[in-house]
Amino acid sequence: MSKDKLKIQIIGLSWYYKEDFENIKKIFTDGEKIGKSYEDWLLNAENTYNQLISIGVNVEKVYINSEYFLHWCEQNKFEINSQARQRFVNEIAFKKYLENQQFEALYPIFIKYNLKGSLKQIGTGVLVDISGRVFLLTAAHVINQNKFGDIFIPTNEGLKQLPGEFAFLDLYENKKGSEIIYDVGYFKLDVNFSEKYLSTESKIRIEDLAFIKDSTQAAFYTIAGYPSSKSKVKSRLTTSEAYFYGGCSVSKEVYSEHGFDPHLHIIVKFRRELSVTTEGVKTFPPFFRGLSGGGIFIWPNDFQGQLFPPIRRLVGIFHRYYKNDKLLIGTNIQILIKCIAKNNPDLNIKL
């Protein structure tokens, strides 16, 4: 398996909602040129999209909501014309490109067992660049598996064993004597390993992380990682497929009921039976085994007229699933970054 990446330019292509199409035609100065009917426009738009894809252009469909677009033009003092339209779709497309780069920082984690010599996926990790040093953030119980064998991740030259040091937080005692579950940790990767085997585009910069004080204040989150059921290992060749699970925030009462703290943890309500694809088609995603150590990404409040948020940011590390309550649980990324800062004072990390 390879994680090699190419630098690809991205362009936005205007896309419209059927129920909003007539409004779109009315607000634009060149509205009549868009298409006589929604069906006519859609046929031409799909042809354009497919042609661009066929010649290798990275294209993003960007929805334009008439009401939001009017607000956006007013806010930015733009005339409501084709130039503003293209500027808007390119802006959103670039945000989605940046988001995809964040998701490229997700890596499946494998172990080669000492006794059996077999390879198996055991979790997911997120690569973060902090002051020029690369850390693979994951769950503590994933790191703890290294007592049974060597840990590997995919690189631009296939699977490579992780070099460097590691640390993790498992269970801590608070002042009242009850346990606080953190279950997060990191590998501090060797500099030569990072430069030789990892793409510069496959890391999240510390400046791009989202730091929140209360996880109940956000409405939605996405948990992203590599479910082990989609991982195939044959000899030294492996394939994995990333999945994304969106869910809503929960109340402080839910945190209290399960012994978690919204200032330290993130709990997401996820109903697997209600899952849909990005196209709105009903689906049934794979189970969560293998996602431990994956990223929790926070949704912005403003979708800018899109079906899905244009950019989500890493805010936590996922580590457990409460099946009966349909809860996905992780630890706030600040906890782990503070741990890294304490253990690596030379990096001069400022939060």
Side-chain angles (χ1 to χ4, degrees):
M1 181 178 181
S2 173
K3 289 285 287 189
D4 194 20
K5 319 247 179 356
L6 298 175
K7 293 182 178 179
I8 304 174
Q9 183 181 9
I10 187 169
I11 65 170
L13 192 62
S14 300
W15 221 255
Y16 308 112
Y17 299 102
K18 185 175 183 178
E19 61 273 17
D20 194 36
F21 187 71
E22 292 304 318
N23 293 329
I24 286 291
K25 291 176 65 176
K26 289 177 183 177
I27 67 171
F28 285 115
T29 56
D30 62 340
E32 290 305 317
K33 296 180 181 179
I34 294 175
K36 291 182 179 180
S37 68
Y38 176 81
E39 288 71 23
D40 288 338
W41 163 79
L42 184 61
L43 179 62
N44 291 328
E46 289 286 8
N47 287 336
T48 300
Y49 178 81
N50 292 331
Q51 287 173 9
L52 291 170
I53 292 294
S54 69
I55 60 175
V57 179
N58 192 8
V59 188
E60 185 71 48
K61 296 178 183 178
V62 176
Y63 283 88
I64 297 181
N65 172 282
S66 61
E67 184 177 348
Y68 181 84
F69 188 75
L70 286 171
H71 168 73
W72 182 83
C73 286
E74 181 181 352
Q75 191 177 46
N76 291 281
K77 297 180 172 55
F78 293 145
E79 291 186 26
I80 305 168
N81 54 26
S82 59
Q83 288 80 11
R85 187 164 67 233
Q86 194 57 50
R87 185 163 184 165
F88 175 78
V89 298
N90 283 339
E91 177 184 303
I92 299 298
F94 185 65
K95 286 183 177 181
K96 292 188 176 183
Y97 170 72
L98 293 178
E99 178 182 77
N100 288 335
Q101 280 194 313
Q102 286 199 95
F103 292 147
E104 291 287 356
L106 296 164
Y107 278 68
I109 298 175
F110 296 85
I111 186 171
K112 183 180 180 183
Y113 290 106
N114 293 329
L115 295 178
K116 298 180 180 179
S118 58
L119 273 170
K120 178 183 178 182
Q121 188 198 331
I122 56 171
T124 299
V126 188
L127 281 183
V128 176
D129 187 320
I130 303 176
S131 302
R133 289 303 302 267
V134 180
F135 294 81
L136 181 69
L137 313 185
T138 187
H141 70 264
V142 172
I143 296 175
N144 201 37
Q145 291 292 303
N146 72 348
K147 61 188 177 184
F148 302 114
D150 297 322
I151 304 296
F152 290 76
I153 62 169
T155 72
N156 53 28
E157 293 188 15
L159 280 181
K160 294 292 181 182
Q161 183 179 344
L162 282 183
E165 59 193 71
F166 65 87
F168 58 81
L169 296 167
D170 195 1
L171 297 177
Y172 268 36
E173 299 277 330
N174 69 12
K175 294 181 179 179
K176 297 179 181 179
S178 60
E179 290 180 327
I180 298 177
I181 301 174
Y182 288 137
D183 196 2
V184 289
Y186 65 84
F187 290 93
K188 182 181 180 182
L189 303 186
D190 179 80
V191 174
N192 293 331
F193 178 90
S194 302
E195 293 177 350
K196 184 176 181 180
Y197 296 119
L198 302 177
S199 167
T200 55
E201 288 81 23
S202 63
K203 311 176 191 74
I204 299 175
R205 302 178 306 164
I206 188 172
E207 308 94 85
D208 296 325
L209 300 177
F211 297 123
I212 58 174
K213 294 182 179 180
D214 184 347
S215 55
T216 64
Q217 298 304 304
F220 300 101
Y221 294 94
T222 291
I223 286 81
Y226 289 86
S228 56
S229 62
K230 294 296 180 179
S231 174
K232 297 180 181 179
V233 180
K234 189 174 182 180
S235 299
R236 298 279 294 187
L237 300 176
T238 65
T239 59
S240 295
E241 185 177 355
Y243 275 77
F244 307 90
Y245 304 79
C248 59
S249 182
V250 300
S251 67
K252 291 184 178 181
E253 287 73 22
V254 175
Y255 280 85
S256 179
E257 178 184 349
H258 293 278
F260 292 99
D261 185 338
H263 300 97
L264 305 175
H265 304 102
I266 300 169
I267 299 181
V268 180
K269 185 80 170 182
F270 177 74
R271 298 186 64 179
R272 195 161 170 239
E273 69 278 9
L274 298 180
S275 299
V276 295
T277 67
T278 53
E279 289 77 30
V281 179
K282 188 173 176 59
T283 185
F284 203 66
F287 198 64
F288 307 103
R289 187 177 299 278
L291 259 74
S292 291
I296 303 177
F297 296 83
I298 189 170
W299 292 30
N301 293 324
D302 185 359
F303 280 29
Q304 297 188 275
Q306 308 306 301
L307 287 171
F308 290 88
I311 188 165
R312 290 161 283 188
R313 298 167 66 194
L314 183 67
V315 73
I317 298 297
F318 168 73
H319 49 67
R320 66 195 60 228
Y321 172 54
Y322 286 0
K323 183 177 180 180
N324 292 338
D325 299 302
K326 300 179 180 179
L327 299 178
L328 302 171
I329 299 166
T331 295
N332 191 313
I333 198 75
Q334 289 187 89
I335 304 300
L336 192 45
I337 298 301
K338 287 179 180 178
C339 175
I340 293 173
K342 183 177 180 180
N343 292 342
N344 300 270
D346 57 304
L347 296 182
N348 193 28
I349 301 170
K350 296 180 180 179
L351 299 175

